[in-house]
Amino acid sequence: MLEQQAPDSLPRIQRLDETVVNRIAAGEVIQRPFNAVKELLENSIDAGSTLVQIIARDGGNKLLQIIDNGCGIRFDDMPIVCERFTTSKLAAFTDLRSLNTHGFRGEALASISHVAHVSIVSKTAEAECAYRGEYFEGKLKAPVKYVPGNQGTTITAEDLFFNVPIRRRTLKSATEEFKKIVEVVSLYSLHYPRVGMSVRKAGSDGLTALKTPADSTVAANIRLMVGAEAADALIHVNHEDKRLEFSLDAFVTGPSFAGRKTQLVLFINHRLVESARLRRAMESAFTEALPRGAQPFAYVSLQIAPHNVDVNVHPTKHEVFFLHQDAIADAIQSRIVAALAAGRQSMTFLVQSVLPSNKQEQQQQQQKQSPVPRAAASQQLSQSASSSQSVIRSRVEPGVTNIEAFFGPAQKRPKLGADSGEAPDEDNNADGEPRQSANLTAANSASIVIDKGADCVRQSPTQTSVQLVGSSHSAAIAAPSPGQHRRVMRLQCVFRMQRSVEAQADAELCAQFRKLVFVGCIDRRLALAQCDCDLLLLNMQLLSEKYFYQVMCRDFGNFEVLALSEPAPVRRLLTALLSSPAYRTLAGPDCSTAGAEQLIERFLTVLQSRSMMLLDYFSMEIDSDGNVLSLPLLLKKFQPDLDYLGVYLLRLATKVDWNTESACFETFCRETAKFYALKAPFPGAAAPEPGAEDDAAPHSTQASQASTARRDPIERSVELALFPSMRAQFKPDTDCRNSRAMGKLVSLQDMYRVFERC
């Protein structure tokens, strides 16, 4: 028979103190500073805010402040706003079936007030001024006071976990906690692009770690948060299933993107949640459709019928349950696989066998002449194989091969030199370089040397008559006189322009540009280049405009002459332009066609009245009859598209600020750079005849003839003149990085992954 224990030895069941209960509950909701930020950010979004600012000190441990411009809190609700289970989101349990807000428990502010000192300043649109309340453990510490403030709510939490020392000691460093805050806010900025969000550290010199504009887009915020490489590879996936009562709106990266780690961002009914089943489905989709080892990025927003979703699962609301989970996961997986397959079909690769280098050919010939024993040969082979495993090979010289080699049958590269016993190819010169056409080699090929210390008088260059190709106009390139020197310009405004170019240069992009190897032109505005093992897409329209502006600043007052073989009448050019359908798109909407004759006379007067300055500083000559006789020569072997000459003259007359010296020189240089920059053919201009520029230097092989017949003469001059000059002298600025003027298309490693997959 069991003995009964004494009543005093049994543990007694007792009601916990309310303070203990609240602190335990607070530990479930607010685990780290970023949890508090998440809860308060959701409240700001529910309040209809369009701007939310988050300020943190010491990773949020010392201070967390959230400022929004939402609807605010009523004055009468201030006494109970921090009490547990007080909310404006629902009134009955059945409201959970149609819930369309983030909050519904009424625990966030209460939990924060039990582990921190909280103050709230708020103002509604109807209130005359703002009011402030201070809270601790869910209660007001003093009556609410009127204070100045704007519409919206500012919540400040200080000394987080001051009364839970164990929790505070388990937190990570302030830097790690701040990074986690930035990460949470960045995820919400993807889903709510209409809301401008910012995160910064407290203090006058606080670092702004994140800032997104209001009324943005999901794709734009992905570019800002994840990077331009991921944004350029995005594929938009849409799907709606009425039977399962859900809709899908997602952005996933395609086969051309390879991140460092897989990033999956999931929102269900506007809640940032985690779902192991959906995560497995998306990972399976990427594994099936992407190359091996690819690490994708995916933003997925699911809208499921509210009556099929149970949001009351966890106090932090990071998990939800919903009906038809497996069916919805399978449908999402199939849609993502189909979208990735369509994106993979758009990727095209050309394969060519590796051409042996001269060193490899010499080694092969030596092996044939002096065979080595089989054991030694196998040892050399193993050493060669082991060394090649640690080396990534890439084409580093344009003479090895370029994109033109794919236009026709492969041709054997001739051996040059005295020991070869063969004459050089007709299409190459004695140094093994490609021979240029007679039209392009007529100009002096020597590079311009800047002599900053010289102070000489400018001499008039002599003109060499040369027919320019690729346009209905022709010109003559002026060759410098023997012994011609540069004159030194001592204008402060010119010095400021030159210093500005130097100051804005991006050292990293400059170093990358020096290593570029030209691959080929896509069209007049886009080109391909190789940097180490990466294939880059260059926006040559933007890059060439910036380069020619730098040339204008560098060679100010020392331009050689690009003389037109026939005078170009300004009146006729402007008349033809004003009557052209392309006038408004090219010249801008601020020039009207009404009273065209009066406008033309006014524009001509503006240009002729500055003819002396134009000739002296810019080698641009306009005679008394209104004819353009010459233009500045910015780059030898390269000419602008003279079909745009009328547009250039019109913009000089209307866009250049002729009133002040500094503004005049800067705007003139920028407009000239736009004229010389690569651009699409002029609307309605006759296309140049294929191969017309190479009549003086016929090619000797079918591949070269086929290559030349396909090429635009302006694109040819890009490879022979513009790109080499830019690679040597161009200084890209930070704007080139922000505008993605040099975008990475693919790397050799990524291409190998695709080939392995195939």
Side-chain angles (χ1 to χ4, degrees), residues 39-275:
E39 297 290 343
L40 298 178
L41 178 60
E42 289 178 345
N43 287 344
S44 297
I45 295 173
D46 288 340
S49 304
T50 58
L51 289 173
V52 180
Q53 304 177 50
I54 299 171
I55 303 173
R57 177 184 290 123
D58 194 19
N61 296 323
K62 292 293 184 182
L63 173 70
L64 271 180
Q65 190 173 61
I66 289 84
I67 307 170
D68 66 53
N69 62 347
C71 62
I73 303 173
R74 296 178 182 273
F75 181 85
D76 298 337
D77 296 336
M78 291 289 288
I80 65 171
V81 70
C82 285
E83 292 185 6
R84 290 192 68 193
F85 310 122
T86 58
T87 180
S88 62
K89 311 301 173 57
L90 78 165
F93 184 78
T94 54
D95 293 342
L96 289 175
R97 300 176 183 175
S98 58
L99 191 67
N100 57 4
T101 59
H102 294 90
F104 61 90
R105 290 176 173 271
E107 289 186 299
L109 278 174
S111 299
I112 296 173
S113 69
H114 280 88
V115 294
H117 300 288
V118 177
S119 64
I120 301 177
V121 178
S122 187
K123 179 183 180 299
T124 61
E126 297 79 12
E128 295 182 357
C129 65
Y131 26 85
R132 184 176 189 270
E134 297 181 356
Y135 303 85
F136 180 65
E137 293 188 348
K139 305 296 183 182
L140 271 172
K141 297 168 61 175
V144 179
K145 299 179 181 180
Y146 287 99
V147 295
N150 299 323
Q151 178 178 339
T153 303
T154 300
I155 300 178
T156 305
E158 298 179 277
D159 296 328
L160 195 62
F161 302 122
F162 75 97
N163 52 0
V164 190
I166 297 178
R167 176 67 59 84
R168 194 163 193 172
R169 286 197 296 268
T170 58
L171 294 177
K172 297 183 179 180
S173 65
T175 302
E176 292 297 325
E177 296 296 339
F178 184 74
K179 287 182 179 179
K180 193 63 179 177
I181 292 173
V182 174
E183 178 184 346
V184 170
V185 178
S186 65
L187 296 181
Y188 274 89
S189 69
L190 298 182
H191 190 70
Y192 292 97
R194 64 172 181 82
V195 182
M197 303 181 187
S198 65
V199 182
R200 67 178 179 87
K201 294 183 179 180
S204 58
D205 56 346
L207 170 66
T208 300
L210 171 68
K211 186 174 183 180
T212 62
D215 296 327
S216 183
T217 62
V218 175
N221 283 359
I222 290 177
R223 179 179 294 274
L224 186 63
M225 298 297 102
V226 187
E229 184 179 358
D232 293 338
L234 286 179
I235 299 176
H236 193 194
V237 184
N238 275 327
H239 179 61
E240 183 176 0
D241 193 322
K242 295 183 179 179
R243 182 179 63 86
L244 298 176
E245 296 182 288
F246 85 95
S247 62
L248 168 69
D249 185 31
F251 287 88
V252 300
T253 53
S256 60
F257 175 76
R260 296 181 179 178
K261 63 178 181 178
T262 300
Q263 302 181 65
L264 301 179
V265 183
L266 175 62
F267 281 82
I268 297 181
N269 289 4
H270 306 296
R271 296 177 180 277
L272 179 62
V273 297
E274 297 177 0
S275 173

Side-chain angles (χ1 to χ4, degrees), residues 2 4 16 147 154 207 223 257 284 286 329 338 482 536 656 670 677 706 756:
L2 298 174
Q4 295 182 355
L16 289 176
V147 295
T154 300
L207 170 66
R223 179 179 294 274
F257 175 76
S284 299
F286 289 120
L536 306 182
V656 175
R670 294 196 180 277
E756 289 177 359

